[in-house]
């Protein structure tokens, strides 16, 4: 790892001053989501960010793993102690995906969001988000491929990075600072202002107007995507609302 690739908390403080004393940094940890859950339960404040350089047991959705190449990626988790009713908590995943998409747009790439919370550039995944909830806590885990140069063969054509899409290396502090500003705003809109999230999300919706199929429970479902329902589900033509699904893809 080159020196310029190391996290510099001081720089993050300069770039996003209000976050300076809200970041808990671990040189190494298993999963930032686990650390965030642990710290949240121990009393860490709302909007504390857990950030690591080496995440050695990163977790993805549906029980998969998540690899954050050393010095090239962002792996962090935001602790929330929301005041909004827990029936609205699924909206946090959408706000987080939107915030990352908007943050990355500052670096000259055109982003899309794929329900529920993937962020894509030219159809390839550049960020994964894992939202977990327990008692009064929500943890938003974010993994961004910033300066990743290569992916394992099985991710070819599926994953990408800001470096590969923009042709430039970026300072991770700068990328994280842009995302945090958007995240603070969008996470604050999951209550009465959710319509604003919905509009901005739908503008970037990768599958809007397309016929998609997905696995809902044990069943395969298909339909044309209209956008988001007011509850944050995927709205299909005919008015059907999908609350939870796996493997959403074009068909
Ligand atoms: C996905 O499967 O798309 C979600 C990936 C989420 C990865 C991030 S990296 C930071 C945080 N800690 C984890 O263990 N996972 C999330």
């Amino acid at each position: 790892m080159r020196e310029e690739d190391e996290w510099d908390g001081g720089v993050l403080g300069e770039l996003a001053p209000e976050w300076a004393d809200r970041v808990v940094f671990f040189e190494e940890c298993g999963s930032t989501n686990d650390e965030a859950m642990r710290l949240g339960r121990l009393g860490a404040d709302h909007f504390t960010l857990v950030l690591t350089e080496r995440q050695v047991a990163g977790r993805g959705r549906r029980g998969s793993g998540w690899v954050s190449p050393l010095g090239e990626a962002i792996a962090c988790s935001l602790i929330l102690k929301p005041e909004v009713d827990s029936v609205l908590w699924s909206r946090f995943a959408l706000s987080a995906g939107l915030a990352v998409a908007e943050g990355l747009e500052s670096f000259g790439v055109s982003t899309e969001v794929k329900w529920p919370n993937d962020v894509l550039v030219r159809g390839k995944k550049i960020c994964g988000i894992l939202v977990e909830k327990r008692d009064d806590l929500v943890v938003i885990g974010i993994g961004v491929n910033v300066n990743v140069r290569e992916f394992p063969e099985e991710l070819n054509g599926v994953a990408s990075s800001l470096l590969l899409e923009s042709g430039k290396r970026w300072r991770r502090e700068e990328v994280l600072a842009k995302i945090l500003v958007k995240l603070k705003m969008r996470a604050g809109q999951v209550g009465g202002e959710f319509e604003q999230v919905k509009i901005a999300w739908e503008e970037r919706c990768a599958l809007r107007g397309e016929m998609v199929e997905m696995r809902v429970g044990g069943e395969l479902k298909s339909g044309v995507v209209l956008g988001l329902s007011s509850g944050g589900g995927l709205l299909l033509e005919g008015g059907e609302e999908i609350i939870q699904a796996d493997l959403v893809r074009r068909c």
Side-chain angles (χ1 to χ4, degrees), residues 14 22 37 46 75 86 89 126 161 177 180 200-201 210-211 218:
E14 274 165 41
R22 288 174 174 268
M37 203 48 95
H46 180 58
S86 58
W89 287 5
I126 198 165
S161 71
L180 290 177
W201 194 96
E210 301 210 26
M211 175 64 92

Side-chain angles (χ1 to χ4, degrees), residues 174-186:
E174 213 173 309
V175 177
L176 180 57
K178 292 278 187 219
I179 291 172
L180 290 177
V181 170
K182 299 290 182 184
L183 192 55
K184 180 107 195 273
M185 174 181 87
R186 294 304 186 183

Side-chain angles (χ1 to χ4, degrees), residues 31-33 55 58-61 66 76-77 125 128-129 141-143:
S31 155
T32 54
N33 267 33
Q55 181 170 250
R59 293 187 286 109
R61 294 177 60 226
W66 181 266
C76 65
S77 301
K125 182 160 163 173
I129 293 173
I142 300 176

Side-chain angles (χ1 to χ4, degrees), residues 45-244:
D45 289 338
H46 180 58
F47 270 114
T48 300
L49 186 81
V50 176
L51 175 66
T52 192
E53 180 60 273
R54 275 186 209 87
Q55 181 170 250
V56 297
R59 293 187 286 109
R61 294 177 60 226
R62 299 189 301 270
S64 61
W66 181 266
V67 175
S68 304
L70 187 60
E72 297 181 340
I74 295 172
C76 65
S77 301
L78 184 65
I79 300 170
L80 299 180
K81 296 187 167 171
E83 283 180 3
V84 292
D85 195 294
S86 58
V87 296
L88 303 179
W89 287 5
S90 58
R91 293 178 174 180
F92 283 115
L94 298 157
S95 325
L98 173 62
V100 173
E102 290 176 319
L104 293 180
E105 283 163 12
S106 329
F107 301 91
V109 292
S110 173
T111 59
E112 290 180 310
V113 285
K114 182 170 165 245
W115 187 86
N117 50 14
D118 287 345
V119 181
L120 314 177
V121 175
R122 291 194 308 138
K124 295 183 193 169
K125 182 160 163 173
I126 198 165
C127 163
I129 293 173
L130 179 66
V131 178
E132 296 180 308
K133 303 153 200 169
R134 198 173 306 152
D135 304 325
D136 61 339
L137 278 179
V138 174
V139 165
I140 302 179
I142 300 176
V144 188
N145 301 325
V146 180
N147 294 319
V148 182
R149 289 175 188 281
E150 280 179 11
F151 290 93
E153 212 175 299
E154 67 272 18
L155 293 181
N156 277 344
V158 176
S160 194
S161 71
L162 194 54
L163 164 74
L164 295 175
E165 297 303 325
S166 67
K168 272 178 76 175
R169 290 177 51 80
W170 297 94
R171 281 164 77 201
R172 289 174 299 160
E173 284 93 346
E174 213 173 309
V175 177
L176 180 57
K178 292 278 187 219
I179 291 172
L180 290 177
V181 170
K182 299 290 182 184
L183 192 55
K184 180 107 195 273
M185 174 181 87
R186 294 304 186 183
Q189 292 178 326
V190 298
E193 292 174 291
F194 186 65
E195 187 62 19
Q196 294 184 39
V197 173
K198 182 173 168 328
I199 291 167
W201 194 96
E202 286 178 337
E203 280 168 4
R204 294 168 178 80
C205 174
L207 299 172
R208 201 168 189 184
E210 301 210 26
M211 175 64 92
V212 298
E213 64 175 16
M214 68 207 91
R215 193 163 286 283
V216 181
E219 244 184 82
L220 208 56
K221 259 194 185 303
S222 59
V224 175
V225 174
L226 288 187
L228 281 184
S229 67
S230 55
L234 191 67
L235 190 63
L236 301 182
E237 207 169 64
E240 189 173 4
E241 182 186 358
I242 306 293
I243 302 295
Q244 209 169 12

